[in-house]
Amino acid sequence: MTDPANGDVILRAEGLVKHYGGGPTLPWRRDAAVVRAVDGVDLELRRGQALGIVGESGCGKSTLLRLLCALERPTAGRLLFEGEEVDRMRGAALKRWRRRVQVVFQDPYASLNPRLTVGEIVGEAFDVHPDVVPRAGRRARIAELLELVGLDAGHADRYPHQFSGGQRQRIGIARGLALGPDVLLCDEPVSALDLSVQAQVVNLLLKLRRELGLALAFVSHDLGVVRHVCDDVTVMYLGKVAEQAPAEALYTRPGHPYTQALLSAEPSLDRIRTPHAPRRTRIVLAGDPPSPAAPPPGCRFHTRCPRAQDLCRTTEPALTVRDGRAGACHFGEAVLAEAGG
């Protein structure tokens, strides 16, 4: 967790909300239900930091990422870049901001235009921002970017269908790096890839982060990948933050019952490396997550939480900061104490 006054914070979300629906529909139908995809999220991304955003499918993590790159406008709350509110940027200021915050999308088979060559895909950014690279130097710059992500400069004249999934994702990363961004937002960048290829792409991102000083926001449902990549982790449940903590602290001493359940389901190699390591108790959650169109009162996790009490059913817990980590649980101190925190 970062001090809000810390000048190293490059991207900050304050009470970020994104609701869908709720407006009038056809005359013979009732008004559409409001889907609370993201419902009051606070987080910070520091320069050079890798922040993981995890949770079950439908928890709002990809919507949050789309808010962080302004592909979606928030229903409420603020997104600040170096202290300036992004939603108020217009014209040249917004164009400069988009140059500094780039995205790597989830599906490398769908995110690349099949009608363009790789060189045209990577170089398209220079058409939008012609001041970045002179036209005469663009082909050389595209070759540099391809080599930076582990591809051959000669691949610039090929089309996406001529590449494997891992190679396509490298092309997507090269496109994201074309404008020299400060922040790279990654929406499950390895989930569509084979396991061996995942490792290659993850190691590439780590190398680029180290060499270029990038700040990464890394959305994933794979807790093992997040632990390998990220310094800090935000755990989301039903549109809200359940817990935020440094990665090692969160993985060794989870302070929220939902985080405990997620980690208990993660395949672990600890007992292979250390046969006498303690076995993590498997926590099986009852039922499915409630609909974001009809979240339960009180704590949103109480319908599945093995620790739920009457207070949880009536009163929503605040996200409380304690010892460099934050959690939204009425009994978070007890959970941490049991985990040895």
Side-chain angles (χ1 to χ4, degrees), residues 181-243:
D182 300 293
V183 177
L184 194 63
L185 305 176
C186 304
D187 186 10
E188 303 212 37
V190 297
S191 64
L193 306 177
D194 293 339
L195 197 59
S196 60
V197 181
Q198 286 185 15
Q200 295 171 17
V201 174
V202 165
N203 288 333
L204 171 64
L205 288 170
L206 288 172
K207 172 178 173 286
L208 293 172
R209 176 201 170 193
R210 184 173 60 252
E211 293 179 354
L212 304 178
L214 290 170
L216 295 179
F218 194 93
V219 167
S220 181
H221 64 272
D222 189 324
L223 296 169
V225 170
V226 169
R227 185 174 192 175
H228 184 61
V229 171
C230 298
D231 306 307
D232 298 273
V233 182
T234 292
V235 181
M236 291 186 65
Y237 183 80
L238 209 62
K240 286 188 170 291
V241 172
E243 185 172 9

Coordinates of all heavy atoms in Angstrom, one line a residue, residues 181-243:
P181 N 5.5 4.0 -23.6 CA 4.6 4.4 -22.5 C 5.3 4.2 -21.1 O 6.3 3.6 -21.0 CB 3.5 3.3 -22.6 CG 4.2 2.1 -23.2 CD 5.2 2.7 -24.2
D182 N 4.7 4.9 -20.1 CA 5.1 4.7 -18.8 C 4.4 3.6 -18.1 O 4.9 3.0 -17.1 CB 4.8 6.0 -18.0 CG 5.6 7.2 -18.6 OD1 6.8 7.2 -18.5 OD2 4.9 8.1 -19.1
V183 N 3.1 3.3 -18.6 CA 2.3 2.3 -18.0 C 1.8 1.3 -19.0 O 1.4 1.8 -20.1 CB 1.0 3.0 -17.3 CG1 0.1 1.9 -16.7 CG2 1.4 4.0 -16.2
L184 N 1.9 0.1 -18.7 CA 1.4 -1.0 -19.6 C 0.3 -1.8 -18.9 O 0.6 -2.4 -17.8 CB 2.5 -1.9 -20.1 CG 2.3 -2.8 -21.3 CD1 1.9 -2.0 -22.5 CD2 3.4 -3.8 -21.5
L185 N -0.9 -1.8 -19.4 CA -2.0 -2.5 -18.7 C -2.2 -3.8 -19.5 O -2.5 -3.8 -20.7 CB -3.3 -1.6 -18.8 CG -3.1 -0.2 -18.2 CD1 -4.4 0.6 -18.5 CD2 -2.8 -0.2 -16.8
C186 N -2.1 -4.9 -18.8 CA -2.2 -6.2 -19.4 C -3.4 -6.9 -18.9 O -3.6 -7.2 -17.7 CB -0.9 -7.0 -19.0 SG 0.6 -6.2 -19.4
D187 N -4.3 -7.2 -19.8 CA -5.6 -7.9 -19.5 C -5.5 -9.4 -19.8 O -5.7 -9.8 -20.9 CB -6.7 -7.3 -20.4 CG -8.1 -7.8 -20.0 OD1 -8.2 -8.6 -18.9 OD2 -9.1 -7.6 -20.7
E188 N -5.1 -10.2 -18.8 CA -4.9 -11.6 -18.9 C -4.1 -12.0 -20.2 O -4.6 -12.7 -21.0 CB -6.3 -12.3 -18.9 CG -7.1 -12.0 -17.7 CD -8.0 -13.2 -17.3 OE1 -7.6 -14.3 -17.4 OE2 -9.2 -12.9 -16.8
P189 N -2.9 -11.4 -20.2 CA -2.1 -11.5 -21.5 C -1.7 -12.9 -21.8 O -1.2 -13.2 -23.0 CB -1.0 -10.6 -21.3 CG -0.8 -10.6 -19.8 CD -2.2 -10.7 -19.2
V190 N -1.7 -13.9 -20.9 CA -1.2 -15.2 -21.2 C -2.3 -16.3 -21.1 O -2.0 -17.5 -21.3 CB 0.0 -15.6 -20.3 CG1 1.1 -14.7 -20.5 CG2 -0.4 -15.6 -18.8
S191 N -3.6 -15.9 -20.8 CA -4.6 -16.9 -20.5 C -5.0 -17.7 -21.7 O -5.4 -18.9 -21.6 CB -5.8 -16.2 -19.9 OG -6.4 -15.4 -20.9
A192 N -4.8 -17.2 -22.9 CA -5.1 -17.9 -24.2 C -4.0 -18.7 -24.7 O -4.1 -19.3 -25.8 CB -5.6 -16.9 -25.2
L193 N -2.9 -18.8 -24.0 CA -1.7 -19.4 -24.5 C -1.4 -20.8 -23.8 O -1.8 -21.0 -22.7 CB -0.5 -18.5 -24.3 CG -0.6 -17.1 -24.9 CD1 0.7 -16.3 -24.6 CD2 -0.8 -17.1 -26.4
D194 N -0.6 -21.6 -24.5 CA -0.2 -22.9 -23.9 C 0.7 -22.6 -22.7 O 1.4 -21.5 -22.6 CB 0.5 -23.7 -24.9 CG -0.4 -24.2 -26.0 OD1 -1.6 -24.3 -25.8 OD2 0.2 -24.6 -27.1
L195 N 0.8 -23.5 -21.8 CA 1.6 -23.3 -20.6 C 3.0 -22.9 -20.8 O 3.6 -22.0 -20.2 CB 1.5 -24.6 -19.7 CG 1.8 -24.4 -18.2 CD1 0.9 -23.4 -17.6 CD2 1.8 -25.7 -17.5
S196 N 3.7 -23.6 -21.7 CA 5.1 -23.3 -22.0 C 5.3 -22.0 -22.6 O 6.2 -21.2 -22.3 CB 5.7 -24.4 -22.9 OG 5.0 -24.4 -24.1
V197 N 4.3 -21.6 -23.4 CA 4.4 -20.3 -24.1 C 4.1 -19.2 -23.0 O 4.6 -18.1 -23.1 CB 3.4 -20.2 -25.2 CG1 3.5 -18.8 -25.9 CG2 3.7 -21.3 -26.2
Q198 N 3.2 -19.5 -22.1 CA 2.9 -18.5 -21.0 C 4.1 -18.1 -20.3 O 4.4 -16.9 -20.1 CB 1.9 -19.1 -20.0 CG 0.5 -19.3 -20.5 CD -0.4 -19.8 -19.3 OE1 0.0 -19.8 -18.2 NE2 -1.6 -20.2 -19.7
A199 N 5.0 -19.0 -20.0 CA 6.2 -18.7 -19.3 C 7.1 -17.8 -20.1 O 7.7 -16.8 -19.5 CB 7.0 -20.0 -18.9
Q200 N 7.2 -18.0 -21.4 CA 8.0 -17.2 -22.2 C 7.5 -15.7 -22.2 O 8.3 -14.8 -22.1 CB 8.0 -17.7 -23.7 CG 8.7 -19.1 -23.8 CD 8.5 -19.7 -25.2 OE1 8.1 -19.0 -26.1 NE2 8.7 -21.0 -25.3
V201 N 6.2 -15.6 -22.4 CA 5.6 -14.2 -22.4 C 5.7 -13.5 -21.1 O 6.0 -12.3 -21.0 CB 4.1 -14.3 -22.9 CG1 3.5 -12.9 -22.8 CG2 4.1 -14.8 -24.3
V202 N 5.5 -14.2 -20.0 CA 5.7 -13.7 -18.6 C 7.1 -13.2 -18.4 O 7.3 -12.1 -17.9 CB 5.2 -14.7 -17.6 CG1 5.7 -14.2 -16.2 CG2 3.7 -14.8 -17.5
N203 N 8.1 -14.0 -18.8 CA 9.5 -13.6 -18.6 C 9.8 -12.5 -19.5 O 10.6 -11.6 -19.1 CB 10.4 -14.8 -18.9 CG 10.3 -15.9 -17.9 OD1 10.0 -15.6 -16.7 ND2 10.6 -17.1 -18.2
L204 N 9.2 -12.4 -20.7 CA 9.4 -11.2 -21.5 C 8.9 -9.9 -20.9 O 9.6 -8.9 -20.8 CB 8.7 -11.4 -22.9 CG 8.7 -10.2 -23.8 CD1 10.1 -9.8 -24.2 CD2 7.8 -10.5 -25.0
L205 N 7.7 -10.0 -20.3 CA 7.2 -8.8 -19.6 C 8.0 -8.4 -18.4 O 8.3 -7.2 -18.2 CB 5.7 -9.1 -19.1 CG 4.7 -9.2 -20.2 CD1 3.4 -9.7 -19.6 CD2 4.5 -7.8 -20.8
L206 N 8.6 -9.4 -17.7 CA 9.5 -9.1 -16.6 C 10.7 -8.4 -17.1 O 11.2 -7.4 -16.5 CB 9.8 -10.3 -15.8 CG 8.7 -10.9 -14.9 CD1 9.1 -12.3 -14.4 CD2 8.3 -10.0 -13.8
K207 N 11.3 -8.9 -18.2 CA 12.5 -8.3 -18.7 C 12.2 -6.9 -19.2 O 13.0 -6.0 -18.9 CB 12.9 -9.2 -19.9 CG 14.1 -8.6 -20.8 CD 14.4 -9.6 -21.8 CE 15.5 -9.0 -22.8 NZ 14.9 -8.1 -23.8
L208 N 11.1 -6.6 -19.9 CA 10.8 -5.3 -20.4 C 10.5 -4.3 -19.2 O 11.0 -3.2 -19.3 CB 9.6 -5.4 -21.3 CG 9.7 -6.2 -22.6 CD1 8.4 -6.3 -23.3 CD2 10.7 -5.5 -23.5
R209 N 9.9 -4.8 -18.2 CA 9.6 -4.0 -17.1 C 10.9 -3.5 -16.4 O 11.1 -2.3 -16.1 CB 8.8 -4.7 -16.0 CG 8.6 -3.9 -14.7 CD 8.2 -4.9 -13.6 NE 8.2 -4.2 -12.4 CZ 8.2 -4.8 -11.2 NH1 8.2 -6.1 -11.1 NH2 8.3 -4.1 -10.1
R210 N 11.9 -4.5 -16.3 CA 13.2 -4.1 -15.7 C 14.0 -3.2 -16.6 O 14.6 -2.2 -16.1 CB 13.9 -5.4 -15.5 CG 15.3 -5.3 -14.8 CD 15.8 -6.7 -14.4 NE 16.1 -7.5 -15.6 CZ 15.4 -8.5 -16.0 NH1 14.3 -8.9 -15.2 NH2 15.7 -9.2 -17.1
E211 N 14.0 -3.4 -17.9 CA 14.8 -2.7 -18.8 C 14.3 -1.3 -19.1 O 15.0 -0.3 -19.3 CB 15.1 -3.4 -20.1 CG 15.9 -4.7 -19.9 CD 16.1 -5.5 -21.2 OE1 15.4 -5.0 -22.2 OE2 16.8 -6.4 -21.2
L212 N 12.9 -1.2 -19.2 CA 12.3 0.1 -19.6 C 11.7 0.8 -18.4 O 11.2 2.0 -18.6 CB 11.2 -0.2 -20.6 CG 11.6 -1.0 -21.9 CD1 10.4 -1.3 -22.8 CD2 12.7 -0.3 -22.6
G213 N 11.7 0.3 -17.2 CA 11.1 0.9 -16.1 C 9.6 1.1 -16.1 O 9.0 2.1 -15.6
L214 N 8.9 0.1 -16.8 CA 7.5 0.2 -17.0 C 6.8 0.0 -15.6 O 7.2 -0.8 -14.8 CB 7.0 -0.8 -18.0 CG 7.4 -0.6 -19.4 CD1 7.0 -1.9 -20.2 CD2 6.6 0.6 -20.0
A215 N 5.6 0.6 -15.5 CA 4.7 0.2 -14.5 C 3.7 -0.7 -15.1 O 3.1 -0.4 -16.2 CB 3.9 1.5 -13.9
L216 N 3.4 -1.8 -14.5 CA 2.5 -2.8 -15.1 C 1.3 -3.0 -14.2 O 1.4 -3.1 -12.9 CB 3.2 -4.2 -15.2 CG 4.3 -4.4 -16.1 CD1 4.8 -5.8 -16.0 CD2 3.9 -4.1 -17.5
A217 N 0.1 -3.0 -14.8 CA -1.1 -3.5 -14.1 C -1.5 -4.8 -14.8 O -1.7 -4.8 -16.0 CB -2.3 -2.5 -14.2
F218 N -1.5 -5.9 -14.0 CA -1.6 -7.2 -14.6 C -2.8 -7.9 -14.1 O -2.9 -8.4 -13.0 CB -0.3 -8.0 -14.2 CG -0.1 -9.3 -14.9 CD1 0.8 -9.3 -16.1 CD2 -0.6 -10.5 -14.5 CE1 1.0 -10.4 -16.8 CE2 -0.4 -11.6 -15.2 CZ 0.4 -11.6 -16.3
V219 N -3.8 -8.0 -15.0 CA -5.1 -8.7 -14.6 C -4.9 -10.2 -14.9 O -4.5 -10.5 -16.0 CB -6.3 -8.1 -15.4 CG1 -7.5 -9.0 -15.3 CG2 -6.6 -6.7 -14.9
S220 N -5.3 -11.0 -14.0 CA -5.2 -12.5 -14.2 C -6.1 -13.2 -13.2 O -6.3 -12.8 -12.1 CB -3.7 -12.9 -14.1 OG -3.6 -14.3 -14.4
H221 N -6.5 -14.4 -13.7 CA -7.1 -15.4 -12.7 C -6.1 -16.4 -12.3 O -6.4 -17.3 -11.4 CB -8.3 -16.0 -13.4 CG -7.9 -16.9 -14.5 ND1 -7.9 -16.4 -15.8 CD2 -7.6 -18.2 -14.6 CE1 -7.5 -17.4 -16.6 NE2 -7.3 -18.5 -16.0
D222 N -4.9 -16.4 -12.8 CA -3.8 -17.3 -12.5 C -3.0 -16.8 -11.4 O -2.1 -15.9 -11.6 CB -3.0 -17.6 -13.7 CG -2.0 -18.8 -13.5 OD1 -1.5 -18.9 -12.4 OD2 -1.8 -19.5 -14.5
L223 N -3.2 -17.3 -10.1 CA -2.5 -16.7 -9.0 C -1.0 -17.0 -9.0 O -0.2 -16.3 -8.5 CB -3.1 -17.3 -7.7 CG -4.6 -16.9 -7.5 CD1 -5.2 -17.8 -6.3 CD2 -4.7 -15.5 -7.2
G224 N -0.6 -18.1 -9.6 CA 0.8 -18.5 -9.7 C 1.5 -17.5 -10.6 O 2.6 -17.0 -10.2
V225 N 1.0 -17.1 -11.7 CA 1.6 -16.1 -12.6 C 1.7 -14.7 -11.9 O 2.7 -14.1 -11.9 CB 0.8 -15.9 -13.9 CG1 1.3 -14.7 -14.7 CG2 0.9 -17.2 -14.7
V226 N 0.6 -14.3 -11.2 CA 0.6 -13.1 -10.5 C 1.7 -13.0 -9.4 O 2.4 -12.0 -9.2 CB -0.8 -12.8 -9.9 CG1 -0.7 -11.6 -8.9 CG2 -1.8 -12.5 -11.0
R227 N 1.9 -14.1 -8.7 CA 2.9 -14.2 -7.6 C 4.3 -14.0 -8.3 O 5.2 -13.4 -7.7 CB 2.8 -15.5 -6.9 CG 3.8 -15.6 -5.7 CD 3.6 -16.8 -4.9 NE 4.3 -16.8 -3.6 CZ 4.2 -17.7 -2.7 NH1 3.4 -18.7 -2.8 NH2 4.9 -17.6 -1.6
H228 N 4.5 -14.5 -9.4 CA 5.8 -14.5 -10.1 C 6.1 -13.1 -10.7 O 7.2 -12.6 -10.7 CB 5.8 -15.5 -11.3 CG 7.1 -15.6 -12.0 ND1 8.3 -16.0 -11.3 CD2 7.5 -15.4 -13.3 CE1 9.3 -15.9 -12.2 NE2 8.8 -15.6 -13.4
V229 N 5.0 -12.4 -11.1 CA 5.2 -11.1 -11.8 C 5.1 -9.9 -10.9 O 5.8 -8.9 -11.1 CB 4.1 -11.0 -12.9 CG1 4.1 -9.6 -13.6 CG2 4.4 -12.1 -14.0
C230 N 4.2 -9.9 -9.9 CA 3.7 -8.7 -9.3 C 4.4 -8.4 -7.9 O 4.7 -9.3 -7.1 CB 2.2 -8.7 -9.2 SG 1.4 -8.8 -10.8
D231 N 4.5 -7.1 -7.6 CA 5.0 -6.7 -6.3 C 3.8 -6.6 -5.3 O 4.0 -6.9 -4.1 CB 5.6 -5.3 -6.4 CG 6.6 -5.2 -7.5 OD1 7.6 -6.0 -7.4 OD2 6.5 -4.3 -8.3
D232 N 2.6 -6.2 -5.8 CA 1.5 -6.0 -4.9 C 0.3 -6.6 -5.6 O 0.3 -6.7 -6.9 CB 1.2 -4.5 -4.6 CG 2.3 -3.8 -3.9 OD1 2.3 -3.9 -2.6 OD2 3.2 -3.3 -4.5
V233 N -0.7 -7.0 -4.9 CA -1.9 -7.7 -5.4 C -3.2 -7.0 -4.9 O -3.3 -6.8 -3.7 CB -1.9 -9.2 -5.1 CG1 -3.1 -9.9 -5.7 CG2 -0.6 -9.8 -5.6
T234 N -4.1 -6.8 -5.8 CA -5.5 -6.4 -5.4 C -6.4 -7.5 -5.7 O -6.5 -8.0 -6.8 CB -5.9 -5.1 -6.1 OG1 -5.1 -4.0 -5.7 CG2 -7.4 -4.8 -5.9
V235 N -7.2 -8.0 -4.7 CA -8.1 -9.1 -4.9 C -9.5 -8.5 -4.9 O -10.0 -7.7 -4.0 CB -8.1 -10.1 -3.7 CG1 -9.1 -11.2 -3.9 CG2 -6.7 -10.6 -3.5
M236 N -10.3 -8.8 -6.0 CA -11.6 -8.3 -6.2 C -12.7 -9.3 -6.1 O -12.4 -10.5 -6.4 CB -11.7 -7.6 -7.6 CG -10.9 -6.3 -7.8 SD -11.3 -5.5 -9.3 CE -13.0 -5.1 -9.1
Y237 N -13.8 -8.9 -5.5 CA -15.0 -9.8 -5.5 C -16.2 -9.0 -5.7 O -16.5 -8.0 -5.0 CB -15.1 -10.5 -4.1 CG -16.2 -11.5 -4.0 CD1 -16.1 -12.8 -4.5 CD2 -17.4 -11.1 -3.4 CE1 -17.1 -13.7 -4.4 CE2 -18.5 -12.0 -3.3 CZ -18.3 -13.3 -3.8 OH -19.3 -14.2 -3.7
L238 N -17.0 -9.4 -6.7 CA -18.2 -8.8 -7.1 C -18.2 -7.3 -7.2 O -19.0 -6.5 -6.6 CB -19.3 -9.2 -6.0 CG -20.8 -9.3 -6.5 CD1 -20.9 -10.3 -7.6 CD2 -21.7 -9.6 -5.4
G239 N -17.1 -6.8 -7.9 CA -17.0 -5.4 -8.2 C -16.3 -4.5 -7.1 O -16.1 -3.3 -7.3
K240 N -15.9 -5.2 -6.0 CA -15.3 -4.4 -4.9 C -13.9 -5.0 -4.6 O -13.7 -6.2 -4.9 CB -16.2 -4.4 -3.7 CG -17.4 -3.5 -3.8 CD -18.1 -3.4 -2.4 CE -19.2 -2.3 -2.5 NZ -18.6 -0.9 -2.5
V241 N -13.1 -4.3 -3.9 CA -11.8 -4.8 -3.4 C -12.0 -5.5 -2.1 O -12.6 -5.0 -1.2 CB -10.8 -3.6 -3.2 CG1 -9.6 -4.1 -2.6 CG2 -10.5 -2.9 -4.6
A242 N -11.6 -6.8 -2.1 CA -11.6 -7.6 -0.9 C -10.4 -7.4 0.0 O -10.4 -7.3 1.2 CB -11.9 -9.0 -1.2
E243 N -9.2 -7.3 -0.7 CA -7.9 -7.2 0.0 C -6.9 -6.6 -1.0 O -6.9 -6.9 -2.2 CB -7.5 -8.6 0.5 CG -6.2 -8.6 1.3 CD -5.9 -9.9 2.0 OE1 -6.6 -10.9 1.7 OE2 -5.0 -9.9 2.8

